[in-house]
Amino acid sequence: MPQTVIIRGPEQRALAHSIVDKAPIGIVVTFKHPTRKIEQNARMWAMLTDVSRNKPEGRLWTTEVWKAAFMDFLGHEVQWQPGLSGTPIPTGYRTSKLNVGQMADLITVIAEYGDRHGVLWSEPNPYEESRQ
């Protein structure tokens, strides 16, 4: 039976050790960082909406295209496929797979780009909360 332990202190660390000690040979153990926070996701979409609405550098991009562009900038895999009209559309990227730190980096890049291009943010301090 799959088990998940979120290590928040010594008790959870001891529980994880106990589970590993009792695990049969051949079991697979995976350690991973927690995925992004709901608040980070909401912040990202608000910021992408602000960037899209402000049209920096005259770019008339949707929030999805902006998201793909920023993900690509950070080196996350983004694929571009021809859309129904022949215009490339972004596919193959998922911010839901980002961990908290990666999401904070994405929010920071969006904020820095927006600040350099005079984006008017709908919320103050757009990247301050992303690292919390």
Side-chain angles (χ1 to χ4, degrees):
M1 149 172 57
Q3 292 185 326
T4 301
V5 177
I6 299 173
I7 299 177
R8 299 187 193 281
E11 295 84 13
Q12 294 84 14
R13 186 176 304 279
L15 175 60
H17 278 277
S18 170
I19 293 169
V20 169
D21 289 342
K22 294 175 187 172
I25 300 298
I27 195 96
V28 175
V29 178
T30 304
F31 296 95
K32 65 179 190 170
H33 291 279
T35 55
R36 69 177 185 191
K37 296 178 184 178
I38 293 171
E39 297 83 8
Q40 287 180 306
N41 189 54
R43 171 70 68 167
M44 177 197 69
W45 282 111
M47 293 175 73
L48 290 171
T49 299
D50 291 342
V51 170
S52 182
R53 183 179 25 244
N54 281 262
K55 303 174 185 71
E57 301 179 287
R59 298 177 196 269
L60 303 174
W61 291 354
T62 66
T63 54
E64 285 290 331
V65 174
W66 278 109
K67 182 171 103 171
F70 288 121
M71 291 281 288
D72 179 65
F73 179 81
L74 285 173
H76 297 287
E77 184 177 341
V78 177
Q79 301 166 352
W80 295 85
Q81 302 293 327
L84 296 175
S85 65
T87 304
I89 58 171
T91 62
Y93 61 96
R94 306 257 331 243
T95 56
S96 61
K97 302 295 183 193
L98 299 181
N99 65 41
V100 172
Q102 291 170 320
M103 192 67 168
D105 291 343
L106 177 60
I107 290 170
T108 299
V109 164
I110 296 169
E112 289 171 349
Y113 177 88
D115 288 348
R116 280 195 322 272
H117 292 89
V119 169
L120 301 174
W121 301 112
S122 57
E123 298 181 35
N125 300 318
Y127 50 94
E128 183 176 289
E129 295 174 19
S130 68
R131 293 253 178 225
Q132 297 176 357

